Amino acid sequence: MSEARRTTVLLAAFEGWNDACQSATDVIRHLVATYESTEVRHIRCDGYYDYQVARPITCNIQGRRRILWPQTTFYDITITPELHVLAQIAPEPNYRWLEYCRESLHVAEEFEVDRIITLGAMFADCPHTRPLPVDVSDSTCQCSMDQEYNGPVGIPTILDAMACEDGYDTTSMWVSIPQYLGCDECAPATLRLLDHLSMALGVSLDGGALVGKAERWRGKAAALMRCNDDLNAYVKELERAYDGESPAQDMPPFNAPQAEQLVKEAEEFLKDCGNSPA
């Protein structure tokens, strides 16, 4: 009896403009930490990065000073014996996107990838009190965001388009994060992407520590709402729009200085919560 053929899915996420609150790249970090994983390939940084934007980092490793340059890392992650994820994580390149994507697809070809999934996260006018929206599109079906959006795109969109042209089955997933809760991490957004990734792969991926982190994030956001009447009123308007009780365009405008102040207050509040004992 012949062995079942192993399926390999390339999962790509990029730090920077496409990665609000690190929610997309945190999916890959979570998978690497949760499942058996091995670094298998790298794409060198030379020619792809502006080092005044993606700066090298100095650190001490086993007593020796090292310079760590921005680079692309590929991990082979064993989800099941029959399903592997080839995870690609990197800062978004500054230069030569077409060449970078071609090099990425060469790695996909080398590992006999069957399908390519790109992840992204963006700030949006959505309430944290509802399931965070996830827009999913694939080779045969565009989501509403794809059909309505006209404007700048990031490297996930370019990689997705080039992979589609090369004949790969492709899927793009983008999670929306409340713009008024600016913070370093948003575990609910990462968990939402992980849930949709589970559906796409046909397996139940382990949420692990993300579940508890998401609950703590929601608790901090709820506490912030109780302390800020303006934010509370704004979230109620977002809830009504989300629930379809009123069109989003009918919401009262939220001017830039007011929004900026709320984000600043939220960041300070969540930072204080993060520094306090659990």
Side-chain angles (χ1 to χ4, degrees), residues 9 18 24-25 39 105 128 136 173 179 198 207 212 215-216 254 277:
V9 176
N18 318 275
T25 51
E39 286 189 32
L105 293 175
H128 70 277
V136 180
M173 301 181 183
Q179 55 85 18
S198 293
E215 287 301 316
R216 289 191 291 273
F254 211 58

Side-chain angles (χ1 to χ4, degrees), residues 99-264:
E99 184 174 337
Y100 177 87
C101 289
R102 278 194 289 268
E103 196 165 349
S104 299
L105 293 175
H106 285 323
V107 177
E109 183 179 6
E110 178 186 353
F111 282 83
E112 299 183 338
V113 161
D114 302 278
R115 180 182 181 187
I116 294 179
I117 299 176
T118 56
L119 304 178
M122 59 187 173
F123 289 112
D125 291 323
C126 59
H128 70 277
T129 52
R130 301 291 188 268
L132 299 181
V134 178
D135 289 291
V136 180
S137 61
D138 58 33
S139 307
T140 59
C141 176
Q142 287 188 327
C143 65
S144 59
M145 184 181 73
D146 289 334
Q147 295 169 345
E148 298 170 4
Y149 178 74
N150 294 289
V153 297
I155 195 76
T157 304
I158 304 302
L159 179 60
D160 181 86
M162 291 181 64
C164 192
E165 290 175 359
D166 278 4
Y168 285 99
D169 288 332
T170 64
T171 302
S172 175
M173 301 181 183
W174 284 79
V175 64
S176 294
I177 298 173
Q179 55 85 18
Y180 55 85
L181 288 177
C183 58
D184 291 336
E185 293 184 353
C186 182
T190 300
L191 199 56
R192 286 284 285 165
L193 284 174
L194 192 71
D195 288 343
H196 279 73
L197 184 60
S198 293
M199 290 186 282
L201 297 179
V203 297
S204 179
L205 295 171
D206 185 358
L210 283 175
V211 177
K213 289 180 180 179
E215 287 301 316
R216 289 191 291 273
W217 185 92
R218 293 188 190 97
K220 294 174 184 178
L224 177 60
M225 278 186 65
R226 291 194 295 269
C227 298
N228 191 313
D229 292 339
D230 288 339
L231 177 59
N232 187 66
Y234 179 57
V235 172
K236 295 300 182 186
E237 291 293 339
L238 291 176
E239 288 175 345
R240 281 191 282 272
Y242 187 103
D243 296 338
E245 296 178 9
S246 64
Q249 60 265 28
D250 290 345
M251 286 196 306
F254 211 58
N255 61 64
Q258 187 181 9
E260 185 177 344
Q261 180 61 28
L262 277 182
V263 170
K264 183 178 179 181

